[in-house]
Amino acid sequence: PGDSVMLFVSRSSSYIDGVISAGVVLVGTNQIVLQRTLTVNPNGDALLSAPITNPSLIGVSFFAQSYLPSSSLGQQISNALEIIIAP
């Protein structure tokens, strides 16, 4: 709780775009469209609200992955997640 986690959202996925000591980078780093630093709450969650105001984004895929630069376990990187904007 209270740790800062970095969220990266990309328009493309990548299987081994980069390998860091925490794990494998699975988002296309050359197409990052959003990068945010979020704070982890006492439940271990980091939340982000993103209102979609552009209807042309419906059906578009994004790929997200988070990175925790420091914790009691050292660096950590999440699995990747595909996000598809639905109506």
Side-chain angles (χ1 to χ4, degrees):
D3 287 330
S4 291
V5 62
M6 297 183 72
L7 175 69
F8 298 93
V9 179
S10 176
R11 286 285 292 125
S12 67
S13 63
S14 181
Y15 181 62
I16 303 184
D17 191 55
V19 177
I20 61 174
S21 62
V24 178
V25 177
L26 297 170
V27 296
T29 56
N30 59 340
Q31 292 190 27
I32 298 289
V33 295
L34 177 75
Q35 180 178 336
R36 291 283 189 275
T37 300
L38 306 172
T39 302
V40 178
N41 68 23
N43 296 324
D45 302 323
L47 307 174
L48 171 72
S49 294
I52 307 300
T53 58
N54 185 342
S56 68
L57 292 175
I58 294 173
V60 174
S61 290
F62 295 92
F63 300 87
Q65 190 170 25
S66 61
Y67 169 64
L68 183 61
S70 64
S71 73
S72 59
L73 301 174
Q75 294 183 41
Q76 298 180 52
I77 195 165
S78 72
N79 294 325
L81 172 71
E82 180 178 11
I83 302 165
I84 301 172
I85 307 298

Coordinates of all heavy atoms in Angstrom, one line a residue:
P1 N 0.8 -1.2 0.0 CA 0.0 0.0 0.0 C 0.9 1.3 0.0 O 1.9 1.3 0.7 CB -0.8 -0.1 1.3 CG -0.8 -1.6 1.6 CD 0.5 -2.1 1.1
G2 N 0.4 2.2 -0.8 CA 1.2 3.5 -0.9 C 2.3 3.5 -1.9 O 2.8 4.5 -2.2
D3 N 2.6 2.3 -2.5 CA 3.6 2.2 -3.5 C 3.1 2.9 -4.8 O 1.9 3.0 -5.0 CB 4.0 0.8 -3.8 CG 4.8 0.1 -2.8 OD1 5.6 0.8 -2.1 OD2 4.7 -1.1 -2.6
S4 N 4.0 3.4 -5.6 CA 3.6 4.0 -6.9 C 3.9 2.9 -7.9 O 4.9 2.3 -8.0 CB 4.5 5.2 -7.2 OG 4.1 6.2 -6.3
V5 N 2.9 2.7 -8.8 CA 3.0 1.8 -9.9 C 2.8 2.6 -11.2 O 2.0 3.5 -11.2 CB 1.9 0.6 -9.8 CG1 0.5 1.2 -9.8 CG2 2.1 -0.4 -10.8
M6 N 3.6 2.2 -12.2 CA 3.5 2.9 -13.5 C 2.6 2.0 -14.4 O 2.8 0.8 -14.5 CB 4.9 3.1 -14.1 CG 5.7 4.0 -13.2 SD 7.3 4.4 -13.9 CE 6.8 5.5 -15.2
L7 N 1.7 2.7 -15.1 CA 0.8 2.0 -16.0 C 1.2 2.5 -17.4 O 1.3 3.7 -17.7 CB -0.7 2.3 -15.8 CG -1.7 1.8 -16.8 CD1 -1.7 0.2 -16.7 CD2 -3.0 2.4 -16.6
F8 N 1.4 1.5 -18.3 CA 1.7 1.9 -19.7 C 0.6 1.3 -20.6 O 0.2 0.1 -20.5 CB 3.0 1.3 -20.1 CG 4.2 1.8 -19.4 CD1 4.6 1.2 -18.2 CD2 4.8 3.0 -19.8 CE1 5.7 1.6 -17.5 CE2 5.9 3.5 -19.0 CZ 6.3 2.8 -17.9
V9 N 0.0 2.1 -21.5 CA -1.0 1.6 -22.4 C -0.5 1.9 -23.8 O 0.0 3.0 -24.1 CB -2.3 2.4 -22.2 CG1 -3.4 1.9 -23.2 CG2 -2.8 2.1 -20.8
S10 N -0.5 0.9 -24.7 CA 0.0 1.0 -26.0 C -1.0 0.6 -27.1 O -2.0 -0.1 -26.7 CB 1.3 0.0 -26.1 OG 1.8 0.0 -27.4
R11 N -0.8 1.0 -28.3 CA -1.7 0.5 -29.4 C -1.2 -0.8 -29.9 O -1.9 -1.4 -30.8 CB -1.7 1.6 -30.5 CG -2.4 2.8 -30.2 CD -3.9 2.6 -30.2 NE -4.3 2.4 -31.6 CZ -5.1 1.4 -32.0 NH1 -5.5 0.5 -31.2 NH2 -5.4 1.2 -33.3
S12 N -0.1 -1.3 -29.5 CA 0.3 -2.6 -30.0 C 0.9 -3.5 -28.9 O 1.3 -3.0 -27.9 CB 1.4 -2.4 -31.1 OG 2.6 -1.9 -30.5
S13 N 0.9 -4.8 -29.1 CA 1.5 -5.7 -28.2 C 2.8 -6.1 -28.7 O 3.1 -5.8 -29.9 CB 0.6 -6.9 -28.0 OG 0.5 -7.6 -29.2
S14 N 3.7 -6.6 -27.9 CA 5.0 -7.1 -28.3 C 5.4 -8.2 -27.4 O 5.2 -8.1 -26.2 CB 6.0 -5.9 -28.2 OG 7.2 -6.4 -28.6
Y15 N 5.8 -9.3 -27.9 CA 6.1 -10.4 -27.1 C 7.4 -10.2 -26.3 O 7.5 -10.4 -25.1 CB 6.2 -11.7 -27.9 CG 6.5 -12.9 -27.0 CD1 5.6 -13.3 -26.0 CD2 7.6 -13.7 -27.1 CE1 5.8 -14.3 -25.1 CE2 7.9 -14.7 -26.3 CZ 7.0 -15.1 -25.3 OH 7.3 -16.1 -24.5
I16 N 8.5 -9.9 -26.9 CA 9.8 -9.7 -26.2 C 10.4 -8.3 -26.7 O 11.4 -8.3 -27.4 CB 10.8 -10.8 -26.4 CG1 10.1 -12.1 -25.9 CG2 12.0 -10.6 -25.6 CD1 11.0 -13.3 -25.9
D17 N 9.6 -7.3 -26.5 CA 10.1 -6.0 -27.0 C 11.2 -5.5 -26.1 O 12.1 -4.8 -26.5 CB 8.9 -4.9 -26.9 CG 9.3 -3.6 -27.6 OD1 9.6 -3.7 -28.7 OD2 9.2 -2.6 -26.9
G18 N 11.2 -5.9 -24.9 CA 12.3 -5.6 -24.0 C 12.3 -6.5 -22.7 O 11.2 -6.8 -22.3
V19 N 13.4 -6.8 -22.3 CA 13.5 -7.7 -21.1 C 14.2 -6.8 -20.0 O 15.3 -6.3 -20.2 CB 14.3 -9.0 -21.3 CG1 14.4 -9.8 -20.0 CG2 13.6 -9.8 -22.4
I20 N 13.6 -6.7 -18.8 CA 14.2 -6.0 -17.7 C 14.3 -7.0 -16.6 O 13.8 -8.1 -16.7 CB 13.3 -4.8 -17.3 CG1 11.9 -5.2 -16.9 CG2 13.3 -3.8 -18.4 CD1 11.1 -4.0 -16.3
S21 N 15.0 -6.7 -15.5 CA 15.2 -7.6 -14.4 C 13.9 -8.1 -13.8 O 13.8 -9.1 -13.2 CB 16.1 -7.0 -13.4 OG 15.5 -5.9 -12.8
A22 N 12.8 -7.3 -13.9 CA 11.5 -7.6 -13.3 C 10.7 -8.6 -14.2 O 9.8 -9.2 -13.7 CB 10.7 -6.3 -13.0
G23 N 11.0 -8.7 -15.4 CA 10.2 -9.6 -16.3 C 10.3 -9.1 -17.8 O 11.2 -8.4 -18.2
V24 N 9.3 -9.5 -18.6 CA 9.3 -9.3 -20.0 C 8.3 -8.2 -20.3 O 7.2 -8.2 -19.8 CB 8.9 -10.5 -20.8 CG1 8.8 -10.3 -22.3 CG2 9.9 -11.7 -20.5
V25 N 8.7 -7.2 -21.1 CA 7.9 -6.1 -21.5 C 7.0 -6.6 -22.7 O 7.5 -7.1 -23.7 CB 8.7 -4.9 -22.0 CG1 7.8 -3.8 -22.5 CG2 9.6 -4.4 -20.8
L26 N 5.7 -6.6 -22.5 CA 4.7 -7.1 -23.4 C 3.9 -6.1 -24.2 O 3.0 -6.5 -24.9 CB 3.8 -8.1 -22.7 CG 4.5 -9.3 -22.1 CD1 3.6 -10.1 -21.2 CD2 5.1 -10.2 -23.2
V27 N 4.2 -4.8 -24.0 CA 3.5 -3.8 -24.7 C 4.5 -3.2 -25.7 O 5.7 -3.1 -25.4 CB 2.8 -2.7 -23.8 CG1 1.7 -3.3 -23.0 CG2 3.8 -2.0 -23.0
G28 N 4.0 -2.7 -26.9 CA 4.8 -2.1 -27.8 C 5.3 -0.7 -27.4 O 4.5 0.2 -27.3
T29 N 6.5 -0.6 -27.0 CA 7.0 0.6 -26.4 C 7.1 1.8 -27.4 O 7.1 2.9 -27.0 CB 8.4 0.4 -25.8 OG1 9.3 -0.1 -26.7 CG2 8.3 -0.5 -24.6
N30 N 7.0 1.5 -28.7 CA 7.1 2.5 -29.7 C 5.7 3.1 -30.0 O 5.6 4.0 -30.8 CB 7.7 2.0 -31.0 CG 7.0 0.8 -31.6 OD1 6.2 0.2 -30.9 ND2 7.2 0.6 -32.9
Q31 N 4.6 2.6 -29.4 CA 3.3 3.1 -29.6 C 2.6 3.4 -28.3 O 1.4 3.2 -28.2 CB 2.5 2.1 -30.5 CG 3.0 2.0 -31.9 CD 2.1 1.2 -32.8 OE1 0.9 1.2 -32.5 NE2 2.6 0.6 -33.8
I32 N 3.3 3.8 -27.3 CA 2.6 4.2 -26.0 C 1.7 5.4 -26.2 O 2.1 6.4 -26.7 CB 3.7 4.5 -24.9 CG1 4.6 3.3 -24.7 CG2 3.1 5.0 -23.6 CD1 4.0 2.2 -23.9
V33 N 0.5 5.2 -25.8 CA -0.5 6.3 -25.9 C -0.9 6.9 -24.5 O -1.5 8.0 -24.4 CB -1.8 5.9 -26.6 CG1 -1.4 5.6 -28.1 CG2 -2.5 4.7 -26.0
L34 N -0.5 6.2 -23.4 CA -0.9 6.7 -22.1 C 0.2 6.1 -21.1 O 0.5 4.9 -21.2 CB -2.2 6.2 -21.7 CG -2.7 6.6 -20.2 CD1 -3.0 8.0 -20.2 CD2 -3.8 5.7 -19.8
Q35 N 0.7 7.0 -20.3 CA 1.6 6.6 -19.2 C 1.2 7.3 -18.0 O 1.1 8.6 -18.0 CB 3.0 6.9 -19.6 CG 4.0 6.5 -18.5 CD 5.5 6.8 -19.0 OE1 5.8 6.9 -20.1 NE2 6.3 7.0 -18.0
R36 N 0.8 6.6 -16.9 CA 0.4 7.2 -15.7 C 1.1 6.6 -14.5 O 1.3 5.4 -14.5 CB -1.1 7.1 -15.5 CG -2.0 7.8 -16.4 CD -2.0 9.3 -16.1 NE -3.0 10.0 -16.9 CZ -2.8 10.5 -18.1 NH1 -1.6 10.3 -18.6 NH2 -3.7 11.1 -18.7
T37 N 1.3 7.4 -13.5 CA 1.8 6.8 -12.2 C 0.6 6.8 -11.3 O -0.1 7.8 -11.1 CB 2.9 7.7 -11.6 OG1 4.0 7.8 -12.5 CG2 3.4 7.2 -10.3
L38 N 0.3 5.6 -10.7 CA -0.8 5.4 -9.8 C -0.3 5.0 -8.5 O 0.7 4.4 -8.3 CB -1.7 4.3 -10.4 CG -2.2 4.5 -11.9 CD1 -2.9 3.3 -12.4 CD2 -3.1 5.7 -12.0
T39 N -1.2 5.3 -7.4 CA -0.8 4.9 -6.1 C -1.6 3.7 -5.7 O -2.8 3.6 -5.9 CB -1.1 6.1 -5.1 OG1 -0.4 7.2 -5.5 CG2 -0.8 5.7 -3.7
V40 N -1.0 2.7 -5.1 CA -1.6 1.5 -4.7 C -2.3 1.7 -3.4 O -1.8 2.3 -2.4 CB -0.5 0.3 -4.5 CG1 -1.2 -1.0 -4.0 CG2 0.2 0.1 -5.8
N41 N -3.6 1.3 -3.3 CA -4.4 1.5 -2.1 C -4.2 0.4 -1.1 O -3.5 -0.6 -1.4 CB -5.9 1.7 -2.4 CG -6.5 0.5 -3.0 OD1 -6.1 -0.7 -2.8 ND2 -7.6 0.6 -3.7
P42 N -4.7 0.5 0.1 CA -4.5 -0.6 1.1 C -4.9 -2.0 0.7 O -4.5 -3.0 1.2 CB -5.3 -0.1 2.3 CG -5.4 1.4 2.2 CD -5.5 1.6 0.7
N43 N -5.8 -2.1 -0.3 CA -6.3 -3.4 -0.8 C -5.3 -4.0 -1.8 O -5.5 -5.1 -2.4 CB -7.7 -3.3 -1.4 CG -8.7 -3.0 -0.4 OD1 -8.6 -3.4 0.8 ND2 -9.7 -2.2 -0.7
G44 N -4.3 -3.2 -2.2 CA -3.4 -3.6 -3.3 C -3.8 -3.3 -4.7 O -3.2 -3.8 -5.6
D45 N -4.8 -2.4 -4.8 CA -5.3 -2.0 -6.1 C -4.8 -0.7 -6.5 O -4.6 0.2 -5.6 CB -6.9 -1.9 -6.1 CG -7.5 -3.2 -5.7 OD1 -7.0 -4.3 -6.1 OD2 -8.6 -3.2 -5.0
A46 N -4.6 -0.5 -7.8 CA -4.3 0.9 -8.3 C -5.4 1.1 -9.4 O -5.5 0.4 -10.3 CB -2.9 0.9 -8.9
L47 N -6.2 2.2 -9.2 CA -7.3 2.4 -10.1 C -7.1 3.6 -11.0 O -6.5 4.6 -10.6 CB -8.6 2.6 -9.2 CG -8.9 1.5 -8.2 CD1 -10.0 1.9 -7.3 CD2 -9.1 0.2 -8.8
L48 N -7.7 3.5 -12.2 CA -7.7 4.6 -13.1 C -9.0 4.7 -13.8 O -9.5 3.7 -14.4 CB -6.6 4.4 -14.2 CG -6.6 5.4 -15.3 CD1 -6.1 6.8 -14.9 CD2 -5.7 4.9 -16.4
S49 N -9.7 5.8 -13.8 CA -10.9 6.0 -14.6 C -10.6 6.8 -15.9 O -9.8 7.7 -15.8 CB -11.9 6.9 -13.8 OG -12.4 6.2 -12.7
A50 N -11.1 6.3 -17.0 CA -10.8 6.9 -18.2 C -12.1 7.1 -19.1 O -12.5 6.1 -19.7 CB -9.8 6.1 -19.0
P51 N -12.8 8.2 -18.9 CA -14.0 8.4 -19.7 C -13.7 8.4 -21.2 O -12.7 9.0 -21.7 CB -14.6 9.7 -19.3 CG -13.4 10.4 -18.6 CD -12.4 9.4 -18.1
I52 N -14.5 7.7 -22.0 CA -14.3 7.6 -23.4 C -15.3 8.5 -24.1 O -16.5 8.3 -24.0 CB -14.6 6.1 -23.9 CG1 -13.7 5.1 -23.2 CG2 -14.4 6.1 -25.4 CD1 -12.2 5.4 -23.3
T53 N -14.8 9.6 -24.6 CA -15.7 10.6 -25.2 C -15.7 10.7 -26.7 O -16.4 11.4 -27.4 CB -15.3 12.0 -24.7 OG1 -14.0 12.3 -25.0 CG2 -15.5 12.1 -23.2
N54 N -14.8 9.8 -27.3 CA -14.7 9.8 -28.8 C -15.3 8.5 -29.3 O -14.7 7.4 -29.1 CB -13.2 9.9 -29.1 CG -13.0 10.0 -30.6 OD1 -13.8 9.7 -31.4 ND2 -11.8 10.4 -31.0
P55 N -16.4 8.5 -30.0 CA -17.0 7.3 -30.5 C -16.2 6.5 -31.5 O -16.4 5.3 -31.7 CB -18.4 7.7 -31.1 CG -18.4 9.2 -31.1 CD -17.2 9.7 -30.3
S56 N -15.2 7.1 -32.1 CA -14.4 6.4 -33.1 C -13.5 5.4 -32.4 O -12.9 4.6 -33.1 CB -13.6 7.4 -33.9 OG -12.6 8.1 -33.1
L57 N -13.4 5.5 -31.1 CA -12.5 4.5 -30.3 C -13.3 3.2 -30.1 O -12.6 2.2 -29.7 CB -12.1 5.1 -29.0 CG -11.1 6.3 -29.1 CD1 -10.9 6.8 -27.7 CD2 -9.8 5.8 -29.7
I58 N -14.6 3.1 -30.4 CA -15.3 1.8 -30.2 C -14.7 0.8 -31.1 O -14.5 1.0 -32.3 CB -16.8 2.0 -30.4 CG1 -17.4 3.0 -29.4 CG2 -17.5 0.7 -30.4 CD1 -18.8 3.4 -29.6
G59 N -14.4 -0.4 -30.5 CA -13.8 -1.5 -31.2 C -12.3 -1.5 -31.3 O -11.7 -2.4 -31.7
V60 N -11.7 -0.4 -30.8 CA -10.2 -0.3 -30.9 C -9.6 -1.1 -29.7 O -10.1 -1.0 -28.6 CB -9.8 1.2 -30.8 CG1 -8.3 1.4 -30.7 CG2 -10.3 1.9 -32.0
S61 N -8.5 -1.7 -30.0 CA -7.7 -2.5 -29.0 C -6.6 -1.7 -28.4 O -5.9 -1.0 -29.2 CB -7.2 -3.8 -29.5 OG -8.2 -4.7 -29.8
F62 N -6.3 -1.8 -27.1 CA -5.2 -1.2 -26.5 C -4.6 -2.3 -25.6 O -5.2 -3.3 -25.2 CB -5.6 0.0 -25.6 CG -6.1 1.1 -26.3 CD1 -7.5 1.3 -26.5 CD2 -5.3 2.1 -26.8 CE1 -8.0 2.4 -27.2 CE2 -5.8 3.2 -27.5 CZ -7.1 3.3 -27.7
F63 N -3.3 -2.2 -25.3 CA -2.6 -3.2 -24.5 C -2.0 -2.5 -23.3 O -1.3 -1.5 -23.5 CB -1.6 -3.9 -25.4 CG -2.2 -4.6 -26.6 CD1 -2.4 -3.9 -27.8 CD2 -2.6 -5.9 -26.5 CE1 -3.0 -4.5 -28.8 CE2 -3.2 -6.5 -27.5 CZ -3.4 -5.9 -28.7
A64 N -2.2 -3.0 -22.1 CA -1.7 -2.4 -20.9 C -0.8 -3.3 -20.1 O -1.0 -4.5 -20.1 CB -2.9 -1.9 -20.1
Q65 N 0.1 -2.7 -19.4 CA 1.0 -3.4 -18.5 C 1.5 -2.5 -17.4 O 1.7 -1.3 -17.7 CB 2.2 -4.0 -19.3 CG 3.0 -5.0 -18.5 CD 4.1 -5.7 -19.4 OE1 4.5 -5.2 -20.4 NE2 4.5 -6.9 -18.9
S66 N 1.6 -3.0 -16.2 CA 2.0 -2.1 -15.1 C 3.4 -2.5 -14.7 O 3.8 -3.7 -14.8 CB 1.0 -2.1 -14.0 OG 0.9 -3.4 -13.5
Y67 N 4.1 -1.6 -14.1 CA 5.5 -1.8 -13.6 C 5.6 -1.2 -12.2 O 5.3 0.0 -12.0 CB 6.4 -1.2 -14.6 CG 7.9 -1.1 -14.1 CD1 8.6 -2.2 -13.9 CD2 8.5 0.1 -13.9 CE1 9.9 -2.2 -13.4 CE2 9.8 0.2 -13.5 CZ 10.5 -0.9 -13.2 OH 11.8 -0.9 -12.8
L68 N 6.1 -1.9 -11.3 CA 6.3 -1.5 -9.9 C 7.8 -1.4 -9.7 O 8.5 -2.5 -9.6 CB 5.7 -2.4 -8.9 CG 5.7 -2.1 -7.4 CD1 5.0 -0.8 -7.1 CD2 5.1 -3.2 -6.6
P69 N 8.4 -0.2 -9.8 CA 9.9 -0.1 -9.7 C 10.5 -0.6 -8.4 O 11.6 -1.0 -8.4 CB 10.2 1.3 -10.0 CG 8.9 2.1 -9.8 CD 7.8 1.1 -9.9
S70 N 9.8 -0.5 -7.3 CA 10.4 -0.9 -6.0 C 9.3 -1.4 -5.1 O 8.2 -0.8 -5.0 CB 11.2 0.2 -5.4 OG 10.4 1.3 -5.0
S71 N 9.5 -2.5 -4.4 CA 8.6 -3.0 -3.4 C 9.4 -3.9 -2.5 O 10.6 -4.0 -2.7 CB 7.5 -3.8 -4.1 OG 8.0 -5.0 -4.5
S72 N 8.7 -4.5 -1.5 CA 9.4 -5.3 -0.6 C 10.0 -6.6 -1.3 O 10.9 -7.2 -0.9 CB 8.5 -5.8 0.5 OG 7.4 -6.5 0.0
L73 N 9.5 -6.9 -2.5 CA 9.9 -8.0 -3.3 C 10.9 -7.5 -4.5 O 11.3 -8.4 -5.3 CB 8.8 -8.7 -3.9 CG 7.8 -9.3 -2.9 CD1 6.6 -9.9 -3.6 CD2 8.4 -10.4 -2.1
G74 N 11.2 -6.3 -4.5 CA 12.0 -5.7 -5.6 C 11.1 -5.3 -6.8 O 10.0 -5.1 -6.6
Q75 N 11.7 -5.1 -7.9 CA 11.0 -4.7 -9.1 C 10.0 -5.8 -9.5 O 10.2 -7.0 -9.4 CB 11.9 -4.5 -10.3 CG 12.9 -3.4 -10.2 CD 13.7 -3.2 -11.4 OE1 13.2 -3.3 -12.5 NE2 15.0 -3.0 -11.3
Q76 N 8.8 -5.3 -10.0 CA 7.8 -6.3 -10.5 C 7.1 -5.7 -11.7 O 7.0 -4.5 -11.9 CB 6.7 -6.5 -9.4 CG 7.3 -7.1 -8.1 CD 6.2 -7.3 -7.1 OE1 5.1 -7.8 -7.4 NE2 6.4 -6.8 -5.9
I77 N 6.7 -6.6 -12.6 CA 6.0 -6.2 -13.8 C 4.8 -7.2 -14.0 O 4.9 -8.3 -13.6 CB 7.0 -6.3 -15.0 CG1 6.3 -5.5 -16.2 CG2 7.4 -7.7 -15.4 CD1 7.3 -5.2 -17.3
S78 N 3.7 -6.6 -14.4 CA 2.5 -7.4 -14.5 C 2.4 -8.2 -15.8 O 3.2 -8.0 -16.7 CB 1.2 -6.5 -14.4 OG 1.1 -5.8 -15.6
N79 N 1.5 -9.1 -15.9 CA 1.1 -9.6 -17.2 C 0.5 -8.5 -18.0 O 0.1 -7.5 -17.5 CB 0.1 -10.8 -17.0 CG 0.6 -11.9 -16.3 OD1 1.8 -12.3 -16.4 ND2 -0.2 -12.6 -15.5
A80 N 0.4 -8.7 -19.3 CA -0.2 -7.7 -20.2 C -1.7 -8.0 -20.2 O -2.2 -9.1 -20.0 CB 0.4 -7.8 -21.6
L81 N -2.5 -6.9 -20.6 CA -3.9 -7.0 -20.7 C -4.3 -6.3 -22.0 O -3.9 -5.2 -22.3 CB -4.5 -6.2 -19.5 CG -6.0 -6.0 -19.5 CD1 -6.7 -7.4 -19.2 CD2 -6.4 -5.0 -18.4
E82 N -5.2 -7.0 -22.7 CA -5.8 -6.3 -23.9 C -7.1 -5.7 -23.5 O -7.9 -6.3 -22.9 CB -6.0 -7.3 -25.0 CG -6.6 -6.7 -26.3 CD -6.8 -7.6 -27.5 OE1 -6.7 -8.8 -27.3 OE2 -7.1 -7.1 -28.5
I83 N -7.3 -4.5 -23.9 CA -8.5 -3.7 -23.6 C -9.1 -3.4 -24.9 O -8.5 -2.8 -25.8 CB -8.2 -2.4 -22.8 CG1 -7.4 -2.7 -21.6 CG2 -9.4 -1.6 -22.6 CD1 -6.7 -1.5 -20.9
I84 N -10.4 -3.8 -25.1 CA -11.2 -3.4 -26.3 C -12.3 -2.5 -25.9 O -13.1 -2.8 -25.0 CB -11.7 -4.7 -27.0 CG1 -10.6 -5.6 -27.3 CG2 -12.6 -4.3 -28.2 CD1 -11.0 -7.0 -27.9
I85 N -12.4 -1.3 -26.5 CA -13.4 -0.4 -26.1 C -14.7 -0.8 -26.7 O -14.8 -1.1 -27.9 CB -13.1 1.0 -26.7 CG1 -11.6 1.5 -26.3 CG2 -14.1 2.1 -26.3 CD1 -11.4 1.6 -24.8
A86 N -15.7 -1.0 -25.8 CA -17.0 -1.5 -26.2 C -18.0 -0.4 -26.1 O -17.9 0.5 -25.3 CB -17.5 -2.7 -25.4
P87 N -19.1 -0.5 -26.9 CA -20.2 0.6 -26.8 C -20.9 0.6 -25.5 O -20.9 -0.4 -24.8 CB -21.1 0.3 -28.0 CG -20.8 -1.1 -28.5 CD -19.4 -1.4 -27.9

